[in-house]
Amino acid sequence: METTLSEADLAHLRESIRVAENARAEGTHPFGSIVVSAAGEVIASCGNNSLPPEGDPTQHAELQAVAAAFRVLGAEGMTGSTLFTSAEPCAMCAGAAYWTGIDRVVYALSEHRLLELTGDHPENPTFSLPCREVFARGQRPIEVVGPLLEDEAAAAHIGFWS
């Protein structure tokens, strides 16, 4: 599937990277996600809240953003929505995007590149399971675009995991 990205798409993706940078500045894992409705309105913007010991390991930025958007838009309102995220959604977050009705995912940093940055850090035990593979097992299609702007997204991770 050939995908054309608009300037707005790139701006939203860069905003998710800024959310990740802000998360790091606040002392949490450097991940950020936003959900944009079919009308182009930013519905949710979330950083990561999974940093031990007080964080919840299920509170990845993507999961929080799609859940918040669903609470605002409901099932019908999620039609045509896009998740923009600073890193490729993990299996948990891909599942959450699927179940909340996201139609499109645009991500910056691939899981492979993220693993190069985190190594075997115990706070980020990555899956070797691309989100495209998770979505391919579902009953409805989800368009996936990425990786894009990987160097920009990687900057928030440099030095964080060491």
Side-chain angles (χ1 to χ4, degrees), residues 100-123:
T100 57
I102 289 288
D103 281 330
R104 183 170 175 243
V105 173
V106 179
Y107 69 89
L109 196 60
S110 69
E111 186 71 18
H112 176 75
R113 179 84 182 272
L114 178 62
L115 179 59
E116 290 175 358
L117 295 163
T118 64
D120 63 354
H121 197 286
E123 291 175 11

Side-chain angles (χ1 to χ4, degrees), residues 79-156:
T79 300
S81 61
T82 301
L83 169 65
F84 292 91
T85 186
S86 65
E88 182 173 0
C90 72
M92 174 181 71
C93 293
Y98 177 84
W99 287 111
T100 57
I102 289 288
D103 281 330
R104 183 170 175 243
V105 173
V106 179
Y107 69 89
L109 196 60
S110 69
E111 186 71 18
H112 176 75
R113 179 84 182 272
L114 178 62
L115 179 59
E116 290 175 358
L117 295 163
T118 64
D120 63 354
H121 197 286
E123 291 175 11
N124 196 50
T126 61
F127 279 98
S128 180
L129 181 59
C131 68
R132 283 177 174 87
E133 290 185 32
V134 175
F135 296 140
R137 303 301 189 271
Q139 295 181 5
R140 64 177 187 83
I142 296 177
E143 179 184 1
V144 179
V145 182
L148 302 164
L149 310 177
E150 282 196 285
D151 290 340
E152 289 179 40

Side-chain angles (χ1 to χ4, degrees), residues 1 7 37 41 57 62 74 94 101-102 111 134:
M1 177 184 308
E7 288 301 315
S37 70
E41 179 184 358
E62 300 92 337
I102 289 288
E111 186 71 18
V134 175

Side-chain angles (χ1 to χ4, degrees), residues 13-80:
L13 188 57
R14 284 192 167 101
E15 178 59 24
S16 75
I17 294 169
R18 278 191 291 280
V19 173
E21 291 165 347
N22 291 341
R24 178 180 178 161
E26 293 171 7
T28 61
H29 292 149
F31 298 97
S33 298
I34 65 171
V35 174
V36 177
S37 70
E41 179 184 358
V42 175
I43 303 301
S45 176
C46 298
N48 193 292
N49 187 28
S50 64
L51 186 70
E54 58 278 337
D56 176 340
T58 68
Q59 294 304 294
H60 291 186
E62 300 92 337
L63 190 149
Q64 289 189 90
V66 298
F70 186 86
R71 286 191 297 273
V72 171
L73 297 174
E76 290 181 21
M78 291 295 284
T79 300

